[in-house]
Amino acid sequence: MDEAAQSGRRGRASVRAARIQDVAKLAEVSTATVSRALATPERVSAEARARVMEAIAKTGYVPNPAARTLRSQKTYMVLVVLPDLANTFFSKILRGIEETLFEAGYGMIIGDLDGSPEKEAHFAAYTAAGRVDGAILLHGHLFGQSRGGEGAPDRIGIPLVALCEAIPGADIPQIEIDNRAAASRMTRHLASLGHRSIAYVSGPAGNILELERFLGYRDGLEAAGLSFDPALVIPGDYTIESGVAAGQNLVARASRPTAVFCTSDEMAIGLMRTLFSAGLKVPDDISVAGFDDIEFAAVAEPALTTIHQPRRELGQAAATALVALLQGRPTPKRIRLDTELVIRDSVAALCPMS
Amino acid sequence: MDEAAQSGRRGRASVRAARIQDVAKLAEVSTATVSRALATPERVSAEARARVMEAIAKTGYVPNPAARTLRSQKTYMVLVVLPDLANTFFSKILRGIEETLFEAGYGMIIGDLDGSPEKEAHFAAYTAAGRVDGAILLHGHLFGQSRGGEGAPDRIGIPLVALCEAIPGADIPQIEIDNRAAASRMTRHLASLGHRSIAYVSGPAGNILELERFLGYRDGLEAAGLSFDPALVIPGDYTIESGVAAGQNLVARASRPTAVFCTSDEMAIGLMRTLFSAGLKVPDDISVAGFDDIEFAAVAEPALTTIHQPRRELGQAAATALVALLQGRPTPKRIRLDTELVIRDSVAALCPMS
DNA sequence: ATGAAAGCGCTAACAG
DNA sequence: CTGTTAGCGCTTTCAT
């Protein structure tokens, strides 16, 4: 009862972390009871539970996650894959995900693709190796499906959820906004202010968001009785730099549109910068609209008219869906959150003079 | 030799992941040899190694990290704790950390404090539970040392590195810039342009960066022969919102400084916004300087004069130091990277007229 | 250079 | 409600 105390020396040097055995011994119960007291308290007598808890407090016991994972085949970790961590658009989404995951007892590992496909393989290996129980995908496709080609393994064995960038054809829950409707709304807003020549700064070619938003732009044009002019579509990729480039494109033109709809706030801010440098005034000479409503949109000069996305809620919804899957509960295949048109100062009614 | 093939049914339904045993059997070696072929190839005959590699390819074997961790007591995971993931200042730092860690074979778990001390305990538990081998701390103090009080456990048993926000008194490698010198440089730059009334928008009280930058501001003032005026210090906390508030503070004043040194770009951008709204022109009516050189600094209107921090390199240096520690190699206790004064358009020489 | 065997710390059956 | 008993899959002595 006291002989089996410590295995040899107990100098204060290496005070090995307490194991479940130490707790069991101190509480005078079996290790199974300790385990149960932690996992399913209701299945343990109040008395035993109290003794276990006391022993845990006394020993400072913290369960070893590796052992737990090895035995239970559950990691309580979720992988979140995103195209670009530096994009401020994602940070609040991440917050929403993390807080929901945390409440459900899951940890979050972030996989930042940073624009390189090789990294995707790296994170795919995480799932293959069983490092995580599930994943939230923000980058618009399934692992190993970069080319959308044949051998696309529809699933890699763990629950998956797509967030923001829908993955066409994938049989997993998709959480997103109605990009098409939002883009249409903004286009109509611009048209309602008298603009008849509305340029469109696109996202990366092939991107699903771009596809949807472009369709919305066309919808809006049509709804306003405006005809589509391909010359008014300026390529972009959602970055500040591409917005700057789009601005140069615009400035160089002989005849300019009276309004520009940028499909990301970062592009809108970069574009306005170029316009200013060229001596053009926003919104007096040209109106500029964005998309996303990132933090800087409200403090840009002029403050940016844009589409607000409920970023935190988007993250929460995705995490909630994944947790449901993880716990074997059903979850809707598609969740669409509402956006909002935020009117600020970068868009003005077209002056008939102009 | 072929009887022990599969343990029972081998329907295509549940193709359990290959284990090291499967590889060993296929390669006709022991599991120990497979393990060694992976960890220490040089200790295995070329022949055996080839057979093992082939078997691995054939089975699609991926080592189980939980089992590996349980046995070797190494997680090959590093925790990165930061005060605010939404702050764009950190994203590039994270990139630098991740790429370096990845090359060294380590994964990264991000601990976003999001401004709540409770979360810190949460992430401290990660380290206590042995989920990670080491940690990089960007939040300016050690775990459980929030109050800087007595029982500060100087170490929690795993290697730690402090990044950006130095931790006074902690005996761990610290990677940072020379905040004091940089702030002094900016202050002197402003003074050299004729400004004699230079306001200072601070960081959060007690923050080590704030302490250093404030000292630098004082240094710069002194070097320029200017006296310090407490009324010119406006409180802030590095956020956009606090910059907006600082701007309101400024606008409300009867007599205004001719230049404002904001100790973060986000504050500078928020402040300029307020100034504009109040009809003040930057830099004509008032010069504004920032600190950090985030992406938006270059495209702000006007483009922001600021202090450039080598963010990616900072991250790389911290990760490199931690990996050295993890591998038992020595590393310098303090690394200071150079900053740069970036002159753009938000600061102008003081017009004698004014 | 290789194999046998002993666990790392935990949870899940299975009895009782 | 509780204890006993097996391992989860891997790395690592210790022999050979």
Side-chain angles (χ1 to χ4, degrees), chain B residues 192-205:
Chain B
S192 74
L193 257 22
H195 294 282
R196 315 214 80 237
S197 175
I198 303 171
Y200 174 91
V201 182
S202 79

Side-chain angles (χ1 to χ4, degrees), chain B:
Chain B
M1 207 171 282
D2 116 296
E3 47 159 333
Q6 265 68 16
S7 61
R9 77 220 87 134
R10 56 173 302 185
R12 55 192 52 238
S14 65
V15 270
R16 208 192 37 202
R19 293 154 307 159
I20 198 169
Q21 281 231 26
D22 304 323
V23 175
K25 215 160 277 175
L26 192 60
E28 294 179 300
V29 295
S30 72
T31 60
T33 298
V34 175
S35 180
R36 281 189 285 252
L38 256 21
T40 53
E42 70 280 8
R43 290 199 194 172
V44 172
S45 70
E47 190 193 2
R49 204 188 317 149
R51 286 216 307 284
V52 167
M53 290 314 176
E54 194 187 356
I56 286 177
K58 204 166 284 175
T59 55
Y61 168 71
V62 179
N64 180 317
R68 185 187 293 229
T69 295
L70 181 58
R71 178 64 235 234
S72 66
Q73 307 288 22
K74 286 183 179 159
T75 63
Y76 285 99
M77 275 284 166
V78 164
L79 174 69
V80 179
V81 182
L82 37 80
D84 180 9
L85 187 55
N87 188 323
T88 72
F89 174 71
F90 293 113
S91 42
K92 235 184 192 162
I93 289 182
L94 249 17
R95 283 267 170 83
I97 293 175
E98 212 275 341
E99 65 190 41
T100 303
L101 247 26
F102 177 52
E103 277 167 28
Y106 288 85
M108 173 177 82
I109 292 182
I110 296 179
D112 178 15
L113 256 26
D114 194 2
S116 49
E118 315 88 64
K119 297 209 104 179
E120 179 167 353
H122 169 212
F123 294 116
Y126 265 65
T127 70
R131 252 184 213 280
V132 295
D133 292 341
I136 296 178
L137 276 17
L138 282 127
H139 64 309
H141 53 94
L142 265 14
F143 288 123
Q145 197 200 21
S146 324
R147 309 255 152 274
E150 26 81 61
D154 197 28
R155 48 177 43 191
I156 47 178
I158 61 173
L160 260 24
V161 166
L163 176 54
C164 289
E165 298 201 23
I167 304 177
D171 185 30
I172 62 178
Q174 319 240 3
I175 287 79
E176 54 179 346
I177 57 163
D178 190 337
N179 284 285
R180 182 169 183 170
S184 170
R185 176 105 187 263
M186 179 60 88
T187 307
R188 281 178 282 124
H189 172 64
L190 261 14
S192 74
L193 257 22
H195 294 282
R196 315 214 80 237
S197 175
I198 303 171
Y200 174 91
V201 182
S202 79
N207 179 285
I208 183 79
L209 300 180
E210 164 53 22
L211 260 33
E212 291 290 321
R213 290 175 193 177
F214 181 66
L215 253 23
Y217 167 65
R218 300 286 303 258
D219 289 349
L221 248 28
E222 187 169 354
L226 265 24
S227 63
F228 170 66
D229 178 359
L232 256 25
V233 174
I234 306 172
D237 62 8
Y238 297 143
T239 65
I240 292 180
E241 298 75 46
S242 74
V244 168
Q248 288 161 347
N249 176 318
L250 229 39
V251 168
R253 296 188 181 211
S255 87
R256 271 190 291 274
T258 59
V260 186
F261 175 20
C262 298
T263 51
S264 85
D265 285 350
E266 311 219 352
M267 292 198 295
I269 290 171
L271 181 135
M272 291 202 295
R273 159 100 299 250
T274 308
L275 260 27
F276 275 120
S277 297
L280 258 23
K281 298 268 172 277
V282 175
D284 304 338
D285 296 327
I286 187 166
S287 286
V288 175
F291 201 113
D292 288 346
D293 195 24
I294 63 175
E295 258 70 26
F296 286 97
V299 292
E301 173 54 32
L304 199 61
T305 287
T306 188
I307 295 287
H308 178 78
Q309 293 206 48
R311 299 189 278 153
R312 170 172 241 125
E313 289 76 10
L314 245 7
Q316 290 170 332
T320 300
L322 185 61
V323 169
L325 251 30
L326 256 18
Q327 300 178 341
R329 289 181 284 112
T331 185
K333 275 296 168 212
R334 164 171 292 210
I335 298 176
R336 279 200 147 149
L337 298 188
D338 291 332
T339 56
E340 218 172 301
L341 173 62
V342 180
I343 296 177
R344 288 198 272 246
D345 313 322
S346 63
V347 168
L350 184 63
C351 166
M353 282 298 97
S354 163

Side-chain angles (χ1 to χ4, degrees), chain A residues 227-289:
Chain A
S227 63
F228 169 66
D229 178 358
L232 256 25
V233 174
I234 305 173
D237 62 7
Y238 297 143
T239 65
I240 293 180
E241 298 77 44
S242 75
V244 169
Q248 288 162 345
N249 175 319
L250 229 40
V251 168
R253 298 188 179 208
S255 86
R256 271 190 290 274
T258 59
V260 186
F261 175 20
C262 297
T263 51
S264 86
D265 286 350
E266 311 218 352
M267 292 198 295
I269 290 171
L271 182 134
M272 291 201 296
R273 159 98 301 246
T274 308
L275 260 27
F276 275 120
S277 298
L280 261 21
K281 298 267 172 277
V282 175
D284 304 336
D285 296 328
I286 187 165
S287 286
V288 175

